[in-house]
C-alpha cells in the first residue's frame, strides 16, 4: 500500500501494480479499493494501475469538513503520483466523479465509465428529494444499517425484498463502517440528474459501458454517450452492475491502448 497526499493534507491510500501507461481506478458506493483489485491485476500486464480508496473509505484519511471539491483534489493527487497524466476508469458513482473531473480539466488522457447511475427518464422512480437529509438524520441516530438500506432501495433502486437479506450477509458489517460516506456521495450526486452542460465540456476520448441488464442504467449510458463530443458506447451483454472483472478488463485494455473498442 502507498499513499498520496491530497491538497488538504489528507492521505489517500492506493495500490500500484504493473508497468506501462498509467490507469487510475475510481470506485463507487460504500466499497474499498479491494473490489477493484481483480480488474487492476488483469490490466497490470500492459499498464501501471493505481487503485485507490476514496477519502473516508478503507485506508484513506477523512479530513473534515467534506466538500465535493475534495474528491477531485484527491484524484488530482493520484494523477500527480502517476506522472502528471493518466487514463481513468470510473465505475458506477466513480464514473460520475471521473466525468466531473475531466470536465474540470484534470489531466485525464482517455476515460472509461461503467454504468454511471444518472437518472435520465422515467424507467425508475426518482430519488427522494430529501434523500441526503434522510442519510444525515440516520447517521446522527447511529442507524448505519438503515443508511445502507436507504441507499440500496432508493438510490440503487434494488427491491426491498432483495436488500433485506443482505443485512445478514458477512459483508454487511464492513459496509456499515463505510455508511457515513453515503452522505458524501449524496452531496456529489444531488438529484442524480445528468449534468449535460458540464460534461459536454469533456472532449477527451471516452468509452461508456453498460451491461444491458438494467434498463435505467443502460439508458443513462446512452445519454452520457450522446452528450459527450468524443464518446462511444458499448454493451457487455448480460453483465450486471457488479460487472465481472474478466468481462470488463479486455474492453478497458483495448480502449486504453487506443483501440476502437
Amino acid at each position: 500500500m502507498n499513499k498520496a497526499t491530497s491538497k488538504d493534507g489528507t492521505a489517500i491510500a492506493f495500490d500500484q501494480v504493473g508497468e506501462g501507461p498509467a490507469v487510475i481506478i475510481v470506485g463507487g458506493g460504500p466499497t474499498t479499493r479491494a473490489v477493484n483489485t481483480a480488474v487492476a491485476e488483469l490490466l497490470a500486464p500492459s499498464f501501471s494501475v493505481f487503485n485507490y480508496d476514496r477519502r473516508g473509505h478503507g485506508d484513506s484519511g477523512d479530513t473534515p469538513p467534506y466538500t465535493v471539491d475534495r474528491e477531485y483534489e484527491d484524484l488530482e493527487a493520484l494523477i500527480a503520483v502517476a506522472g502528471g497524466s493518466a487514463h481513468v476508469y470510473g465505475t458506477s458513482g466513480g464514473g460520475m466523479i471521473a466525468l466531473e473531473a475531466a470536465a474540470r480539466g484534470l489531466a485525464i488522457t482517455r476515460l472509461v465509465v461503467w454504468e454511471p447511475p444518472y437518472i435520465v427518464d422515467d424507467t425508475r422512480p426518482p430519488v427522494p428529494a430529501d434523500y441526503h437529509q434522510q442519510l444525515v438524520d440516520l447517521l446522527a441516530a447511529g442507524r448505519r444499517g438503515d443508511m445502507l438500506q436507504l441507499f440500496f432501495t432508493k438510490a440503487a433502486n434494488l427491491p426491498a425484498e432483495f436488500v433485506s437479506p443482505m443485512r445478514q450477509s458477512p459483508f454487511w458489517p464492513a459496509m456499515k463502517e463505510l455508511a457515513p460516506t453515503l452522505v458524501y456521495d449524496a452531496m456529489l450526486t444531488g438529484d442524480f440528474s445528468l449534468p449535460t452542460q458540464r460534461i459536454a465540456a469533456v472532449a477527451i476520448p471516452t468509452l461508456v459501458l453498460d451491461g444491458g441488464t438494467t434498463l435505467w442504467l443502460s439508458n443513462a449510458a446512452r445519454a452520457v454517450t450522446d452528450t459527450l463530443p468524443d464518446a462511444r458506447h458499448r454493451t457487455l451483454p448480460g453483465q450486471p452492475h457488479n460487472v465481472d472483472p474478466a468481462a470488463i478488463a479486455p474492453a478497458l485494455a483495448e480502449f486504453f491502448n487506443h483501440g476502437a473498442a
Side-chain angles (χ1 to χ4, degrees):
M1 182 185 71
N2 304 287
K3 291 192 175 181
T5 303
S6 193
K7 184 178 180 180
D8 70 345
T10 300
I12 304 299
F14 68 94
D15 295 323
Q16 181 181 355
V17 296
E19 294 184 1
V23 172
I24 298 174
I25 301 176
V26 187
T31 64
T32 70
R33 67 188 190 280
V35 302
N36 293 310
T37 297
V39 170
E41 294 289 349
L42 289 169
L43 292 174
S46 300
F47 303 95
S48 182
V49 186
F50 296 78
N51 180 24
Y52 76 101
D53 283 327
R54 288 171 51 209
R55 67 172 53 213
H57 299 69
D59 295 312
S60 287
D62 189 17
T63 306
Y66 177 86
T67 71
V68 296
D69 288 341
R70 302 292 87 83
E71 299 280 355
Y72 310 115
E73 292 167 0
D74 298 347
L75 180 53
E76 191 167 34
L78 265 293
I79 291 173
V81 170
S85 65
H87 304 321
V88 170
Y89 162 49
T91 176
S92 188
M96 290 177 161
I97 294 171
L99 284 163
E100 292 275 3
R104 289 177 176 227
L106 271 67
I108 299 171
T109 47
R110 292 175 81 84
L111 174 62
V112 179
V113 291
W114 167 259
E115 294 195 335
Y118 297 110
I119 300 175
V120 298
D121 55 30
D122 60 0
T123 53
R124 59 150 292 171
V127 173
D130 63 344
Y131 172 67
H132 173 261
Q133 189 59 51
Q134 286 189 57
L135 289 170
V136 170
D137 293 344
L138 289 170
L139 179 60
R143 296 168 56 189
R144 295 189 176 196
D146 289 338
M147 292 177 72
L148 291 170
Q149 180 95 14
L150 180 68
F151 163 72
F152 282 119
T153 56
K154 300 303 182 181
N157 198 42
L158 296 177
E161 59 270 22
F162 178 82
V163 176
S164 293
M166 291 169 58
R167 300 179 77 118
Q168 309 305 318
S169 66
F171 58 78
W172 191 261
M175 283 200 301
K176 283 176 65 175
E177 292 297 315
L178 298 171
T181 64
L182 293 174
V183 176
Y184 301 167
D185 286 351
M187 294 169 66
L188 282 160
T189 57
D191 63 359
F192 287 76
S193 61
L194 179 65
T196 305
Q197 185 172 357
R198 287 202 304 277
I199 70 168
V202 177
I204 59 173
T206 302
L207 174 64
V208 186
L209 296 169
D210 74 277
T213 62
T214 306
L215 181 59
W216 70 274
L217 290 171
S218 293
N219 289 350
R222 294 185 182 91
V224 169
T225 307
D226 290 343
T227 301
L228 301 178
D230 187 8
R232 64 209 69 181
H233 171 256
R234 179 177 175 182
T235 296
L236 305 180
Q239 285 298 311
H241 191 56
N242 185 23
V243 61
D244 183 349
I248 198 168
L252 296 171
E254 182 181 1
F255 186 72
F256 289 146
N257 276 322
H258 297 194

